[in-house]
Amino acid sequence: MRGIEAALQVYGEVREGAFAAESLRKLYTNIAPSDRTLAATLVYCTLRRQGLWKNILFKYCKRNARELSQLTTDALVVGIAGIVELKYFALPVLINAVVQSVKSRGDEKDIALVNAVLHTVADEAKDFLLELKKSGALRDQALYWGVPGWVAAQWSKDTSIPEAKKLVRSIGMKTYLSLRLSRGADREKFLEDYRASGRKGWASPFLDSSVRTPANPYPIDLPGYGEGVITPQSESSIFVGETLAKKYRGGPLLDMCCGRGVKTGQIADLLPDARVEAWDLSEPRIKSAKFEMMRMHVEDRVKFKVGDALALEPDEQPQTILLDAPCTGSGTWGRHPEGKWRCTPEMVTETAALQRKLLDRAALLTAPGGTIVYSTCSAFREENEKVVAYVMTQHPELAEVHVERAHRLMTKGKPYGTVIWPGLPWVDGFYLAVLSKRK
């Protein structure tokens, strides 16, 4: 399968509700090795600014774009993204490949239209894009960088218009893979071996356990992955796990919403003497988490339970709880761009309501004198500071614990917690609050 054909298939699956990373992973071995990077790059640059590409489609398509078949629309959106983003790809080759993909899928009646629209965009869209980029209006900045307008408006209310513009630009930024080294791994030795394999990477100045790469390589292909030496994880996420490890004072530890176990594995690795229990509502996620523990060689340190964190009971009263709460993922939209086109204001409100219930449960479960680490990968205050503020009013026994802000992208929450802004390709938007429960 060629790269553009694969990109169109994945984009169609994402439109139907799939996640881009999972769809690409399933197709990986079917894509010609020389085209794998092209397919992934085209998928993500299409999703990252999908709203902009659709706006351009409506602007330059002489027919009513809403009357086009879904396959033709997908081809045009992906083609427009490729024309604007793929600087190294010859335009005639790209346009021809998109046209041939439409033809092979049976939409021959639209071949001429696709060809005409893509050539028009290639010739005329540059000035329109430049005008948007230079505009001082938040609405135009949101369109240019690929952020839904209602999201940009909400961020301006949460912070300010200048800060919202910075956040919009950061969310539209291309992200790269960072790697977490396991306990005991020699970072310099790993980098030496990593570079010897023909790859580029360097030590993170933010975290001693992190390596930055200038790309998004397939993790399974990386040296050390199968042995559990490295784990793909954003630096913001790594910081959350390391903060918990520093605050840990012994006793049972509960990961209330472990997902696929990335932070669970990190914590079990950092705290070899901790008794870790991990919960998640999803049986497939727990299955993935168990595999992650085996890859990390910590399977004997973690006990998993499938079920609702609002109803499950721990085997032992936890002294420390990690609540990496389900959220909109808005801080990671640069890395998982499909999420921003699915998110709605109602989802933010519903998610925040669940987060309040989960944090309230954590407060009840934690032993006196214990610690709760609450985190999200959201950039909405409603899911962050407002959740913590609400629960602290219900639980006067809770007090905030200071977290040292170790990076310029970290700021104090208003009024609680620490915000990590997504200002670098390896740093996602995150929120972290450490709470202690008085005896």
Side-chain angles (χ1 to χ4, degrees), residues 261-327:
V262 174
K263 289 190 186 70
T264 318
Q266 178 190 10
I267 290 166
D269 178 59
L270 290 172
L271 303 172
D273 297 325
R275 302 188 301 278
V276 181
E277 187 172 323
W279 299 347
D280 200 86
L281 187 63
S282 164
E283 188 168 354
R285 284 197 292 266
I286 289 289
K287 185 177 179 180
S288 295
K290 288 180 177 178
F291 178 81
E292 177 68 6
M293 299 311 105
M294 288 189 285
R295 188 188 66 83
M296 290 288 298
H297 309 291
V298 296
E299 65 269 26
D300 59 334
R301 303 181 199 169
V302 184
K303 179 178 180 178
F304 289 98
K305 289 182 181 178
V306 178
D308 187 348
L310 296 174
L312 287 173
E313 292 294 338
D315 289 349
E316 302 178 85
Q317 186 174 25
Q319 192 69 26
T320 302
I321 289 181
L322 170 63
L323 174 53
D324 190 38
C327 69

Side-chain angles (χ1 to χ4, degrees), residues 300-376:
D300 59 334
R301 303 181 199 169
V302 184
K303 179 178 180 178
F304 289 98
K305 289 182 181 178
V306 178
D308 187 348
L310 296 174
L312 287 173
E313 292 294 338
D315 289 349
E316 302 178 85
Q317 186 174 25
Q319 192 69 26
T320 302
I321 289 181
L322 170 63
L323 174 53
D324 190 38
C327 69
T328 59
S330 47
T332 65
W333 281 346
R335 201 171 302 278
H336 306 290
E338 61 268 44
K340 60 186 165 185
W341 309 114
R342 298 170 182 172
C343 189
T344 65
E346 293 75 22
M347 286 174 62
V348 177
T349 301
E350 291 167 4
T351 304
L354 173 61
Q355 291 159 343
R356 290 194 293 271
K357 292 178 183 178
L358 288 167
L359 186 53
D360 179 77
R361 182 91 202 286
L364 295 172
L365 288 175
T366 307
T371 302
I372 302 168
V373 175
Y374 175 81
S375 66
T376 76

Side-chain angles (χ1 to χ4, degrees), residues 380-400:
F380 291 116
R381 289 189 70 233
E382 189 169 353
E383 297 181 81
N384 299 332
E385 295 100 320
K386 291 184 179 181
V387 168
V388 172
Y390 172 82
V391 173
M392 289 185 73
T393 62
Q394 306 302 306
H395 292 274
E397 71 276 17
L398 295 180
E400 184 178 11

